[in-house]
């Protein structure tokens, strides 16, 4: 059963917020899915995102997982709220070797102030998929415009 969003305009809000994320634009990430409690972010492989062995750098993997989880939490937040990660743990389970990657973030437990989210990052290689990382995040739900 999918949770009910508090903001009927949650898709537009996520898209607008994502478009303001200069880092996601810099790495070439894109929104692929926005549903209540779930967001997918894609990232094509690029050599400027690789580490010394030619795999996608863990920082790039972590970045798309973090954003997917944060935006998944935002889909269920009130219209006047913003979200910030306050804690996460990532498991890098396999070398990130593929032409394209997809972070699938979803809310495990929504809350008024904190939501717990889980992302899986999969390597997309043609028709094949391999889970290369998982991230468990705690996301803070805050009133918009509040000083950090």
């Amino acid at each position: 059963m999918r949770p009910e969003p508090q903001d009927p305009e949650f898709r537009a809000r996520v898209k607008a917020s994502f478009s303001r994320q200069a880092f996601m634009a810099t790495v070439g990430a894109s929104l692929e899915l926005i549903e209540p409690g779930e967001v997918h972010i894609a990232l094509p492989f690029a050599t400027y995102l690789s580490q010394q062995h030619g795999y996608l750098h863990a920082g790039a993997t972590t970045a798309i997982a973090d954003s997917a989880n944060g935006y998944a939490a935002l889909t269920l937040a009130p219209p006047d709220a913003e979200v910030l990660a306050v804690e996460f743990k990532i498991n890098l389970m396999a070398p990130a070797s593929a032409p394209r990657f997809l972070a699938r973030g979803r809310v495990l437990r929504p809350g008024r102030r904190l939501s717990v989210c889980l992302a899986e990052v999969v390597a997309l290689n043609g028709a094949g998929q391999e889970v290369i990382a998982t991230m468990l995040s705690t996301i803070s739900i805050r009133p918009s415009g509040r000083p950090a």
Side-chain angles (χ1 to χ4, degrees), residues 34 54 68 98 115 134 147:
I34 306 167
S115 288
T134 60

Side-chain angles (χ1 to χ4, degrees), residues 14-147:
V14 168
K15 286 178 185 177
S17 177
F18 190 85
S19 73
R20 293 189 304 271
Q21 270 215 26
F23 185 74
M24 287 289 107
T26 298
V27 299
S30 60
L31 282 170
E32 297 289 311
L33 176 85
I34 306 167
E35 292 295 333
E38 186 170 356
V39 168
H40 296 183
I41 295 176
L43 179 69
F45 178 81
T47 55
Y48 68 88
L49 298 175
S50 66
Q51 44 83 292
Q52 70 275 16
H53 302 296
Y55 302 119
L56 184 70
H57 194 281
T61 303
T62 300
I64 61 171
D66 174 46
S67 287
N69 276 348
Y71 283 120
L74 187 62
T75 67
L76 301 179
D80 62 343
E82 63 186 24
V83 296
L84 291 172
V86 294
E87 177 273 339
F88 63 73
K89 182 205 185 308
I90 189 155
N91 291 307
L92 303 165
M93 302 177 339
S97 178
R100 193 164 181 263
F101 301 89
L102 184 68
R104 299 185 294 223
R106 65 185 171 91
V107 176
L108 295 177
R109 184 173 179 115
R112 282 185 324 148
R113 293 196 178 125
L114 296 174
S115 288
V116 177
C117 300
L118 176 68
E120 287 186 331
V121 181
V122 294
L124 302 173
N125 216 340
Q129 294 185 20
E130 179 185 12
V131 177
I132 58 158
T134 60
M135 176 184 279
L136 186 65
S137 302
T138 305
I139 307 294
S140 172
I141 316 296
R142 307 161 22 110
S144 290
R146 190 167 99 187

